[in-house]
Structures are given as structure tokens and as C-alpha cells.
Amino acid sequence: MNKNINVNFVDLSRQRSRLDGAIEKAINTVLEHGKYIHGPEVSQFEEDVKDFCDVSNVVACANGTDALSLTLMANNIKQGDVVFVPSFTFTSTAEVVCLAGADPYFIDVTEDTYNIDVEDLIENIKEAERKGLNSKAVITVDLFGLPADYDRLESVCKEYGLLLIVDAAQSFGSVYKERKTGALGDITTTSFFPAKPLGCYGDGGAILTNDDVVADKLRSLRVHGKGTDKYDNIHIGMNSRLDTLQAAILIKKLKIYADEIISRNRIASTYSSALCDDVITPFVPEGLISVWAQYTIQLEEKQREIVISSLKEKGIPSAIYYPKPLHLQTAYQSFLSSVNGMDVSEKLSKKCLSLPMHPYLTGEEQEFVIESIKSA
Ligand SMILES: *Cc1c(COP(=O)(O)O)cnc(C)c1O
């Protein structure tokens, strides 16, 4: 039994059938009105996200990486500035700092949440002070969909006068003690890359903030820094718009997203109760709701190899996020990292394994994954 079950890591086709033609219809509407750049669906989607997250400004843009770049530009982060970032994350978080001409400073993460270690951050903020560095901001990442420790991060950033940027590319719709994405830190960025919890059919991103002045600047920056007169640009900006077609798709997907988050949480708790005696399962602190961009377990390095290959034999996909923390990657080796070392990030890169996770995973499929891990 269970021989021919085909489990997908992420399954967008089941979501599409659930939406029963709504996406095709929405695409057709765009084809008919033909407003491909900043058509009415873009502002509609921005409004919908405002309601969903309860935030006063949503600025859609081309992707999650640009969302971060635009945020740094809007806040005048420039050459000579230092921005603290976790090392255990996707490249974009640090890449954008370098593109702004500033220097990323890598901080370690905690072993149970995978998110930035606030103690380590504080010690390195002080170290940067001693070195006379120009510390400007912290970019936190809500890795795998789980919010970082914002009560403490907000008070640390306030104490040291640092801007708190939240990279919520993996955590759109998550909750931190009754506060949703967009209400944490100073400004939040997200991504609608297809495999993210809320994804479109191509690239997409957005910036969320309650600061109206910054939001206005962002609206200018995403269109080359335009002023009220299109040919008198007031900032050096970039071309980073969300396509009307992608906005049309996102409008439909956002309508079922709250329900999908519930399914993701149900699936995550099934995994956790079945696997908690065999492997290290994810920890969710009190009062937080993850959106489970990834369901990630920890295994000993040797065990991990065995599990990956035995899952592979059964046709079950799994993935390692991230096999190499940023501070060890070729492009980032010359930048500063924690004075305490980066032991946790390095250790996690050898132990983490992400399992199939999407809201349409059936009980039978999940059972197959669970049994396969247990027997390995
Ligand atoms: C995916 C991701 C991004 C980048 O998003 P894109 O839309 O692919 O540019 C940034 N940060 C993190 C943590 C991500 O996971």
C-alpha cells in the first residue's frame, strides 16, 4: 500500500482547481481592458491587502527583493552605513544592502525559531559602536513563516536608534501576539513568488507601512522616482511595478488565503504530533501564528542524508533551506559577522530538512510522508 502516492512539495494546481475558473476569468478581464501596467487590479489588490493586514499603506512592486531595495532607498540607506541581518536566510536579505552600497553585518539565529538572536544582535550593535561604525538598520526575517521576537526587537531598535525592517517574504499573513504582517517594526516587505505562502504566477512583491510619508516616497521610487510631472523626476528610483495580470491573480488567491493558513496550521500540527518523538519539530512560541512557508525538522547530519534518500526513493520531495548560511557564501565573506561566531547558523545548515507543505496535502499523503520518515 501507499506505493503510488504522488506528493508535491508545493501544489498550485489543486489551488487552481479549487478557485474553479476564477483566475482564468480574472486574467481574461485584464486581456479585455488591456491596462497591463498599473491597471485597476493593482490598486484593488493594494486595498485588499490593506484590509487583510490592517495596515494603512500597501505599495505593490515587482518582487520581494525590490521591495527590500525600495525600502532601503526610501530610508536613505547608503554607502558607509551598516545594516544587521541574520545569516540564516535567503540571499536577498543581504544582497539588497550591498546593492544600496551599505555593508551587511551578519548576526546568528536561535536554534528553536531559526530567527535572529536578539542577544547576539545587542552585543554586535555595541561592538559596532565600539568600532565607530555607522549602524542604521536591522532587517529581520520571519523564517519559514514564523515571526521573529518583535517585542524585544522593537525595544532594542528604539534604544539604539535603528530602523527595523521586516523581511516578511515567507510570513505574509502570520500573527505576532495579535499583530499581523505590516504592523511590526517600521516597515515590512513581502514577496508573491509562486512558491511563497501567497504567490502569484510570476514575480510580485509589496511593501507595507503605517508611515504615509515613506509610502508616498515608495510610490514615486517604484516608478523611476517620478514627481507629479512624469518628466520631472524627484528621486533616483527604479522600475519595479507589480504587473496588472499578477495583481488580478493575487486578488482571487487572497480571498481564500485565510482559510489556507488554517489548513497549513492543521497540516503542521499533524506533522508535529506524529514526528515529535523521532526528530526535532518546529517550535512556535505562545501567541504566534506561523504561515508555514516551510515545515522544517532537524536531524543529525548522517540521519538527514538517510532520510533524504529514502524519501527520494519513494518519490517524496524534500529540501534543505539553507545549505550554506550567507556569511560563508563566496560573495559575502568579506563582511562582518557576529563577534560570538555563527555556530547556530552553521549547525542548522547541516541539520535542517523541509518537508512537503501546502494547504492541499491530503491526510493520506501526509501519512505516507510521516511513515516514510519514521521507517527511515
Ligand atoms: C523569497 C525571499 C525573498 C525574495 O523574494 P523575491 O520575490 O524572490 O525577490 C527575500 N527574502 C526572503 C527571506 C525570501 O524567502
Side-chain angles (χ1 to χ4, degrees):
M1 82 173 230
N2 281 346
K3 273 267 159 54
N4 297 313
I5 294 184
N6 178 28
V7 183
N8 292 317
F9 197 68
V10 169
D11 195 321
L12 298 177
S13 65
R14 286 184 200 170
Q15 182 191 50
R16 199 173 132 219
S17 5
R18 169 180 177 179
L19 285 162
D20 193 27
I23 288 185
E24 290 81 348
K25 231 187 247 166
I27 290 173
N28 243 324
T29 305
V30 177
L31 295 179
E32 275 158 22
H33 70 51
K35 297 183 179 105
Y36 298 117
I37 300 295
H38 274 180
E41 285 81 357
V42 176
S43 37
Q44 181 62 55
F45 177 61
E46 289 176 335
E47 287 302 313
D48 292 354
V49 172
K50 268 163 69 174
D51 290 345
F52 189 85
C53 293
D54 215 357
V55 62
S56 40
N57 295 279
V58 174
V59 181
C61 65
N63 57 67
T65 308
D66 281 4
L68 285 164
S69 279
L70 288 163
T71 296
L72 296 178
M73 289 168 91
N75 287 286
N76 301 312
I77 305 287
K78 55 184 189 308
Q79 194 170 1
D81 293 343
V82 165
V83 179
F84 299 94
V85 297
S87 181
F88 197 63
T89 177
F90 183 64
T91 325
S92 299
T93 318
E95 176 185 36
V96 294
V97 177
C98 302
L99 287 173
D103 292 328
Y105 187 136
F106 294 107
I107 304 298
D108 211 358
V109 296
T110 71
E111 206 169 333
D112 53 357
T113 65
Y114 305 109
N115 285 329
I116 196 162
D117 181 331
V118 183
E119 285 311 316
D120 195 45
L121 174 65
I122 295 169
E123 285 176 46
N124 285 284
I125 291 172
K126 289 180 181 159
E127 173 68 14
E129 246 174 24
R130 280 192 288 274
K131 287 197 167 118
L133 301 177
N134 221 353
S135 303
K136 281 289 168 63
V138 180
I139 305 179
T140 57
V141 178
D142 301 341
L143 208 73
F144 304 147
L146 180 75
D149 186 357
Y150 288 104
D151 282 344
R152 298 188 60 219
L153 284 164
E154 285 173 340
S155 80
V156 169
C157 285
K158 197 166 169 204
E159 182 179 349
Y160 292 96
L162 300 171
L163 182 78
L164 179 52
I165 300 167
V166 178
D167 178 354
Q170 301 183 10
S171 65
F172 180 79
S174 63
V175 178
Y176 178 88
K177 303 183 184 173
E178 295 179 6
R179 294 159 72 195
K180 282 202 216 161
T181 313
L184 301 157
D186 294 296
I187 189 161
T188 299
T189 66
T190 195
S191 162
F192 304 118
F193 180 83
K196 307 286 182 183
L198 178 66
C200 51
Y201 291 160
D203 281 306
I207 305 148
L208 290 72
T209 181
N210 287 319
D211 185 328
D212 299 345
V213 175
V214 170
D216 275 345
K217 189 167 177 190
L218 287 165
R219 288 188 192 99
S220 161
L221 288 171
R222 72 175 165 181
V223 191
H224 308 287
K226 68 168 180 151
T228 41
D229 176 343
K230 187 173 173 189
Y231 293 103
D232 182 23
N233 290 298
I234 54 172
H235 302 292
I236 309 291
M238 56 200 279
N239 175 8
S240 183
R241 295 172 290 230
L242 177 68
D243 287 344
T244 307
L245 278 170
Q246 301 303 342
I249 292 159
L250 285 164
I251 288 170
K252 300 301 172 193
K253 289 202 187 192
L254 184 62
K255 290 192 196 305
I256 57 166
Y257 188 52
D259 185 58
E260 290 184 334
I261 293 173
I262 294 170
S263 301
R264 286 175 176 277
N265 276 283
R266 178 177 40 76
I267 289 160
S269 37
T270 304
Y271 269 143
S272 290
S273 40
L275 293 171
C276 62
D277 293 334
D278 305 279
V279 300
I280 298 175
T281 51
F283 168 66
V284 179
E286 188 76 29
L288 276 60
I289 301 174
S290 175
V291 292
W292 303 102
Q294 304 296 338
Y295 182 89
T296 303
I297 58 173
Q298 291 176 42
L299 300 145
E300 289 312 317
E301 200 173 357
K302 283 256 160 54
Q303 253 187 334
R304 182 171 77 171
E305 276 168 41
I306 296 166
V307 170
I308 292 172
S309 58
S310 94
L311 287 177
K312 199 170 170 191
E313 258 168 45
K314 293 179 170 147
I316 300 172
S318 64
I320 299 173
Y321 298 114
Y322 293 94
K324 212 174 204 185
L326 292 182
H327 71 280
L328 295 179
Q329 293 186 18
T330 311
Y332 297 102
Q333 282 172 10
S334 62
F335 296 105
L336 288 171
S337 56
S338 173
V339 285
N340 302 318
M342 302 294 274
D343 296 355
V344 179
S345 297
E346 289 169 20
K347 195 163 118 184
L348 288 175
S349 65
K350 298 191 172 76
K351 295 178 73 179
C352 277
L353 185 66
S354 300
L355 305 180
M357 167 53 84
H358 60 79
Y360 304 96
L361 209 56
T362 66
E364 191 188 17
E365 288 167 348
Q366 219 186 345
E367 195 53 36
F368 183 44
V369 177
I370 290 164
E371 284 314 313
S372 306
I373 291 167
K374 282 182 178 281
S375 65

